[in-house]
Amino acid sequence: MNSKNFDSGKSHGKLDKVPLPRWDLSDLYEAKDSKKLSEDIRFLDKVCQEFEDRYQDRIEANKDAEFLYQSLQEFESIELRKNRIISYAYLLHQTNLNDPVIGKFFGDCDAKFKSWEAKLVFFENQLSQIPETALKLMLQDNTDLDKYGHYLTSCQKFKPYVLPLELEKYSKDNSILKSSWVRLFDATVSSIKCQVGSEVLTLEQTLSMLQSGKRKKRKRAFHALSNEFEERSNIFALITNTLVKGKEVEDKWRKYPSPQYSRHLLNDIEDNVVEALQRSVVHSYPDISHRFYQLKSQLLGLKKMQYWDRVAPLPMAPRNKVPWEKAVETVENAFSDFSPQFTSLARQFFDNPWIDVPVREGKSGGGFCHPTVADAHPYILLNYQGHSRDVMVLAHELGHGVHQFLAREKGEILSSTSLTLAETASVFCEMLTFESLLEKATIPRERFALIAEKLDDMINTVIRQMSFYEFETKLHHQRREGELTPEEIGRIWLETQTECLGPAFNFNEDYNGFWSYIPHFIHAPFYVYAYSFGQLLSLTLFGIYKDKQEGFEQKYLALLKAGGSRPYNELLEPFGIDITQSGFWDIGLQVIKNYIDRLEGMYQEILD
């Protein structure tokens, strides 16, 4: 794969005959120097100050429901405008990480964003201080206000952790420093070039080579990555130490009981629910990941696997690349089997320039779906290289897109879904796509390969993401004892990954640096358990769908449309789901174990 093609946005190799789609951000702003953008910045400078002057010190004491409703309406209008600006700047930056002019533009927008947040920080803090009895009376008195009920009660959960206003303002102003460290991380990752044989490849391309069917090629890619991570280990460790220490300082001032606690509050989830999830998943390591990788080792004909074998394709797996048009068709067909509305919403992402597909230099790695704002639409970023896993990533991010598109009806404040439920649609859509492919596969070896690859993905989503959570937990606690060297962070990483992946692997110190490029640790500490949560919850929902629960499609679409307007327990109640019940997470874990049982049985048939 020749790196000189990456800036063109053209197809690579024989994968596609036409250029792959790239997004057009003009639905947000025409350009970074557009008149509309400049006007919005000036407007926000003025209106944020006016909002602060009008409402500061008046929210907590005022018992007038109409007054509170009016303030929320004005706040939501401001949020819509400022989130549009930062979404545009962020998305532009994510496809131009090495461009200093765009980097400066994003940095300037982020600084403005933080200055507006500093002026508005009083609002949610004062919402949290409204006496509970007074809030209940106001919600009863005003039906318009009632739609904000869950948002208002969620704000109340932060009441014990609010700082004095001047400190809150300082915290918002000072957060630009954190953003700068995050930008440094992104720029460092995007600058990685790996020498693999005669080729110089981007990080994303080199990671993709770990899926090669040729073991020597995978090994070369692994060592090229290891060398690059080692070369940058000091800067990755410095960024991590700085941000983890910064979080510790803020947590101490706010009196959060643990490093994870603020994430649970933001996710609107209880500590004990996450702890139950963590216990269940870690307890399942031997029965799921250890067992699966032992089987995969046999299938690959290896006594011991190395890390570069973890995502290797099986010998019976199809080797042909999947053209983009075929990937789109596959996902659309899977969605249509479930819901015509789902399909029509997904089609909009293909009919409009809302997806950025090709790999190219300076573009953020991986994939994501950004919701932008309620009066626009989401944008999806991919790095599509034609692997079957890339088809699943498309289904995953498209699930986010449909979810966010449906939820936007709730408005800017209420459309935002907690991370735990935000992964529900994405994982559900992966399952729709997987089951559709499985039904169409008629050859036993093909079905075997599909199930094996899906298990690989499930283990990545459930087991490894929870091992990442374990890594973060240990990292944050050990950082409190002092700054950690790259070697010390590497030891924590190796310890948690060895426990997770099991005896099928032979790990060595070359693997110690593979924590360093994972963006979740930097962008959103403790985010990762949302993947395990979403996968296991979605497996339960998918089982209910397959059992043909009456009215499932309507209930499911209602869940997605609700966004963050209602608590998760109310949204799941129509399906008969209670995630607080003892053993709930074992239901989804058992589904994964059943797939392994099925694979082991098929393996014997293939051998026979």
Side-chain angles (χ1 to χ4, degrees):
M1 208 175 291
N2 195 324
S3 61
K4 69 182 181 182
N5 291 328
F6 289 131
D7 289 333
S8 68
K10 295 180 180 178
S11 59
H12 34 278
K14 298 179 180 179
L15 182 56
D16 286 277
K17 296 179 181 179
V18 295
L20 295 172
R22 294 171 66 165
W23 62 30
D24 179 351
L25 302 178
S26 60
D27 286 346
L28 299 174
Y29 291 102
E30 289 290 340
K32 59 184 174 61
D33 57 354
S34 70
K35 181 181 177 182
K36 174 62 175 168
L37 179 58
S38 299
E39 288 174 348
D40 280 354
I41 289 173
R42 287 195 297 272
F43 173 80
L44 284 164
D45 284 341
K46 177 174 177 287
V47 77
C48 289
Q49 184 62 61
E50 291 174 348
F51 187 85
E52 184 181 31
D53 294 342
R54 185 180 305 118
Y55 292 110
Q56 187 171 316
D57 298 326
R58 297 188 64 198
I59 299 297
E60 179 186 349
N62 199 301
K63 306 298 191 295
D64 185 339
E66 183 59 36
F67 177 84
L68 180 57
Y69 177 70
Q70 177 186 323
S71 69
L72 284 163
Q73 292 286 96
E74 291 181 31
F75 179 71
E76 187 160 34
S77 175
I78 293 171
E79 288 290 291
L80 190 68
R81 194 85 63 110
K82 73 183 184 67
N83 289 343
R84 178 182 289 271
I85 291 173
I86 200 62
S87 292
Y88 173 74
Y90 173 76
L91 292 172
L92 187 65
H93 183 54
Q94 289 300 296
T95 50
N96 298 276
L97 290 169
N98 298 339
D99 187 322
V101 175
I102 291 176
K104 169 180 162 48
F105 170 71
F106 173 67
D108 290 345
C109 287
D110 192 40
K112 275 290 184 185
F113 185 83
K114 298 294 193 301
S115 72
W116 298 326
E117 287 202 317
K119 291 185 182 301
L120 300 173
V121 69
F122 76 90
F123 186 64
E124 289 190 336
N125 288 359
Q126 289 189 17
L127 291 178
S128 74
Q129 305 301 313
I130 298 173
E132 187 177 344
T133 304
L135 181 59
K136 283 183 178 178
L137 288 173
M138 284 191 284
L139 290 171
Q140 291 170 7
D141 290 345
N142 190 309
T143 54
D144 290 329
L145 182 63
D146 185 60
K147 79 171 187 176
Y148 293 105
H150 179 56
Y151 167 71
L152 290 167
T153 54
S154 294
C155 287
Q156 300 256 305
K157 293 179 181 179
F158 288 87
K159 183 175 182 176
Y161 314 107
V162 170
L163 299 173
L165 184 57
E166 288 305 308
L167 282 178
E168 290 286 3
K169 285 176 174 284
Y170 170 76
S171 177
K172 287 293 183 185
D173 282 339
N174 197 50
S175 63
I176 192 67
L177 299 179
K178 175 186 174 183
S179 298
S180 298
W181 283 101
V182 172
R183 282 178 60 198
L184 176 60
F185 170 82
D186 288 343
T188 304
V189 169
S190 69
S191 71
I192 291 176
K193 300 287 191 303
C194 295
Q195 183 77 46
V196 186
S198 61
E199 294 183 294
V200 178
L201 304 177
T202 65
L203 173 66
E204 199 67 30
Q205 292 172 288
T206 314
L207 287 167
S208 179
M209 284 183 66
L210 295 176
Q211 299 177 46
S212 170
K214 297 178 179 179
R215 196 169 193 233
K216 288 183 179 179
K217 195 173 184 179
R218 296 197 303 270
K219 183 178 180 180
R220 286 199 303 268
F222 170 84
H223 285 298
L225 289 164
S226 181
N227 291 338
E228 293 300 321
F229 297 153
E230 173 63 27
E231 187 176 314
R232 294 164 177 80
S233 61
N234 287 332
I235 193 166
F236 280 130
L238 177 60
I239 293 168
T240 301
N241 273 288
T242 302
L243 290 174
V244 172
K245 184 64 178 179
K247 186 180 189 312
E248 179 197 343
V249 170
E250 180 158 357
D251 287 353
K252 182 179 72 174
W253 277 87
R254 293 189 183 279
K255 297 182 171 56
Y256 286 131
S258 70
Q260 306 95 315
Y261 195 80
S262 59
R263 176 62 60 193
H264 302 339
L265 281 179
L266 288 168
N267 281 348
D268 199 21
I269 201 76
E270 298 83 3
D271 258 13
N272 64 320
V273 172
V274 180
E275 288 169 4
L277 167 65
Q278 183 182 18
R279 283 195 304 272
S280 294
V281 173
V282 172
H283 182 72
S284 75
Y285 284 175
D287 286 342
I288 294 182
S289 53
H290 297 185
R291 182 176 157 211
F292 172 73
Y293 286 125
Q294 290 282 19
L295 176 60
K296 185 166 186 175
S297 180
Q298 294 176 40
L299 293 166
L300 293 171
L302 301 171
K303 291 182 178 179
K304 281 276 188 179
M305 289 200 292
Q306 304 293 335
Y307 177 76
W308 56 82
D309 300 314
R310 189 181 64 80
V311 291
L314 296 176
M316 64 283 292
R319 298 298 170 86
N320 295 333
K321 294 292 183 74
V322 183
W324 171 249
E325 292 81 1
K326 181 64 176 177
V328 171
E329 179 188 346
T330 298
V331 173
E332 279 195 320
N333 288 342
F335 285 13
S336 66
D337 291 340
F338 169 60
S339 166
Q341 186 175 354
F342 234 66
T343 311
S344 63
L345 287 171
R347 185 70 243 176
Q348 292 189 62
F349 287 84
F350 302 127
D351 291 342
N352 295 287
W354 298 354
I355 307 183
D356 199 282
V357 177
V359 178
R360 58 187 185 276
E361 192 171 333
K363 179 179 176 180
S364 176
F368 64 75
C369 182
H370 192 291
T372 72
V373 285
D375 64 353
H377 56 79
Y379 281 94
I380 293 173
L381 180 142
L382 302 173
N383 281 276
Y384 190 82
Q385 298 183 71
H387 299 293
S388 54
R389 279 191 176 86
D390 292 343
V391 181
M392 290 299 172
V393 173
L394 170 61
H396 182 101
E397 301 304 341
L398 204 56
H400 279 307
V402 170
H403 190 175
Q404 292 161 1
F405 198 90
L406 286 167
R408 70 182 188 150
E409 298 173 4
K410 294 296 179 182
E412 189 62 17
I413 292 177
L414 303 178
S415 62
S416 180
T417 308
S418 66
L419 287 178
T420 41
L421 288 183
E423 292 299 333
T424 305
S426 55
V427 176
F428 188 86
C429 287
E430 281 190 63
M431 287 301 298
L432 287 173
T433 305
F434 167 67
E435 287 287 340
S436 176
L437 289 170
L438 196 60
E439 286 178 13
K440 292 178 174 62
T442 55
I443 302 170
R445 291 172 69 86
E446 184 182 354
R447 291 174 65 83
F448 182 91
L450 280 169
I451 293 172
E453 187 172 88
K454 186 58 184 172
L455 278 166
D456 248 333
D457 291 341
M458 285 178 168
I459 288 167
N460 276 335
T461 306
V462 177
I463 309 299
R464 290 198 73 231
Q465 294 297 332
M466 192 52 73
S467 78
F468 290 174
Y469 182 74
E470 293 269 299
F471 166 75
E472 281 190 280
T473 301
K474 292 179 180 180
L475 173 71
H476 281 252
H477 279 291
Q478 290 190 32
R479 175 64 179 90
R480 293 183 174 189
E481 303 301 317
E483 189 162 313
L484 299 169
T485 66
E487 292 75 21
E488 288 171 327
I489 300 174
R491 281 197 291 272
I492 300 170
W493 172 255
L494 194 60
E495 176 189 326
T496 54
Q497 295 311 292
T498 302
E499 181 186 8
C500 164
L501 299 176
F505 288 90
N506 181 26
F507 289 120
N508 57 45
E509 291 185 357
D510 289 341
Y511 181 51
N512 283 15
F514 274 68
W515 59 272
S516 55
Y517 76 97
I518 299 173
H520 298 86
F521 302 152
I522 302 300
H523 288 236
F526 300 104
Y527 175 104
V528 288
Y529 75 78
Y531 289 112
S532 301
F533 190 112
Q535 175 83 69
L536 295 177
L537 176 57
S538 291
L539 286 175
T540 303
L541 283 167
F542 195 77
I544 293 170
Y545 160 63
K546 296 292 283 184
D547 288 342
K548 297 182 171 30
Q549 184 185 78
E550 186 177 352
F552 180 87
E553 179 187 343
Q554 290 72 29
K555 293 176 188 176
Y556 190 72
L557 290 171
L559 182 152
L560 301 186
K561 288 177 182 177
S565 64
R566 293 164 58 198
Y568 73 86
N569 55 329
E570 285 185 17
L571 293 172
L572 296 175
E573 189 176 342
F575 303 96
I577 290 175
D578 181 2
I579 67 173
T580 64
Q581 285 186 343
S582 175
F584 170 79
W585 302 109
D586 294 333
I587 299 171
L589 290 167
Q590 186 59 52
V591 173
I592 302 175
K593 292 175 189 177
N594 291 343
Y595 275 120
I596 299 176
D597 290 343
R598 188 173 173 184
L599 200 68
E600 288 175 340
M602 293 175 73
Y603 177 48
Q604 291 303 318
E605 289 178 17
I606 290 172
L607 287 179
D608 294 342

